Amino acid sequence: MSWNARVARVAPFRVMSLLEAAQAREAAGHDVIHLEVGEPDFATPEPVVAAGHAALAAGQTRYTPAAGLPALREAIAGHYAEHFGAAVDPGRILVTPGASGALLLASQLLAGPGDRVLMADPNYPCNRHFMALAGAEVEAVPVDAQSGWQLDADLVARHWRDDTSLAMLATPSNPTGHMLDAGRLAAVADTVKARGGELLVDEIYQGLCYDLEPLSVAAITPDAFVVNSFSKYFGMTGWRLGWLLAPEAAVEPLTRLAQNVFLAPSTPAQHAALAAFTPDTREILEGRRRELGRRRDALLAGLSRLGLAPSLPPQGAFYLWLDVSRYSDDSEAFCRALLEEENVAITPGTDFALTGGERHVRIAFTTGEARLEEAVSRLERFLARR
């Protein structure tokens, strides 16, 4: 059969096959430590679950407007004002089926055949793939510790071409966990605007910050498109709910797209998410953020003992981007062997980086400190045999 050629540009997400292998080993009785998938071991906060139950009990199961519940859009706008000092009109917010829904809308509006999109390399692979499905060409710009593992203004200026239409950032980033501070973020926004382009910022891990204060590009410019999610900071992964903040002029075409692509986000999930912004939930979420910070520090201490700690520790999210080139130049083989020999599941860097991915792995500190310490001990045994 003949398939759309754009689909061929979408590579497999290797972490999912590794997760499947890890789960198979677990089912066979092995004690597997899961550090591969970006989902912490926290349940959805109880106030959110209770709000979801209440919505179902009240029969809140009918369609909402395509852009989401007005009350939820207002709550999100209030979140920007309270925590980031950004005055955001609720009408500029579209609630979506996960951040993936927001990325789909943004990519279809902003990218197409003949367009070139700049983004960092490494990056979350689906960001590249959404742009490829829209028909655009992605220029993945290699970043490293020198640029703070981010696509900064200097790199944007150097790589911008006549056919470049869009720059996409992620802060904090997946897989490295690094951030752009307000000054560097503003410099990127100015650089893109001066060239007549658009700026799309992935803020999915916003709020999960350990060394810098959380910030949003919405407090810097009203012209950026912003993708966010209830999955990471708010702990609602399986509820599949996110949002897209857009410039006012883009709201109408984005709403038309939403109406046709997914009609509306999940109604019970939206009602549940209203409780994500209450003081009780905020207290729970901040406690979890502090716990993730302790996990990061424990993992860094263990890796430092092995001489493997990264030179620039992650400032946010819940990942470490680790150079394993002393032991392997094939990160996929490295991860498979670590799983088979020591029952520790981590992710090959080839999922995220087009350049250098074979020398790196991503470790998610999404389990407790005791399990992280055990994982480091198993890794030490594994490396001793290399």
Side-chain angles (χ1 to χ4, degrees), residues 138 234 245 255 303 314 329:
V138 173
F234 295 101
L245 172 61
T255 302
L303 293 172
D329 59 1

Side-chain angles (χ1 to χ4, degrees), residues 14-22 36 335-336 339 345-346 348:
R14 296 171 184 86
V15 67
M16 300 313 294
S17 61
L18 194 136
L19 173 63
E20 185 178 351
E36 75 278 40
C335 291
R336 284 195 302 270
L339 176 61
I346 61 176

Side-chain angles (χ1 to χ4, degrees), residues 108-119:
Q108 292 301 309
L109 182 72
L110 298 173
D115 293 329
R116 182 171 294 272
V117 178
L118 295 182
M119 60 181 66

Side-chain angles (χ1 to χ4, degrees), residues 183-247:
R184 299 178 76 208
L185 190 53
V188 174
D190 289 344
T191 301
V192 172
K193 185 174 183 178
R195 286 156 177 77
E198 302 287 353
L199 178 63
L200 173 63
V201 184
D202 170 355
E203 295 184 349
I204 291 169
Y205 294 92
Q206 181 192 59
L208 291 175
C209 306
Y210 313 112
D211 299 328
L212 299 173
E213 287 297 314
L215 74 153
S216 174
V217 72
I220 294 170
T221 173
D223 298 326
F225 292 77
V226 186
V227 171
N228 211 322
S229 173
F230 285 96
S231 291
K232 307 303 182 181
Y233 177 73
F234 295 101
M236 295 178 64
T237 49
W239 298 78
R240 306 312 304 132
L241 203 65
W243 72 84
L244 177 64
L245 172 61

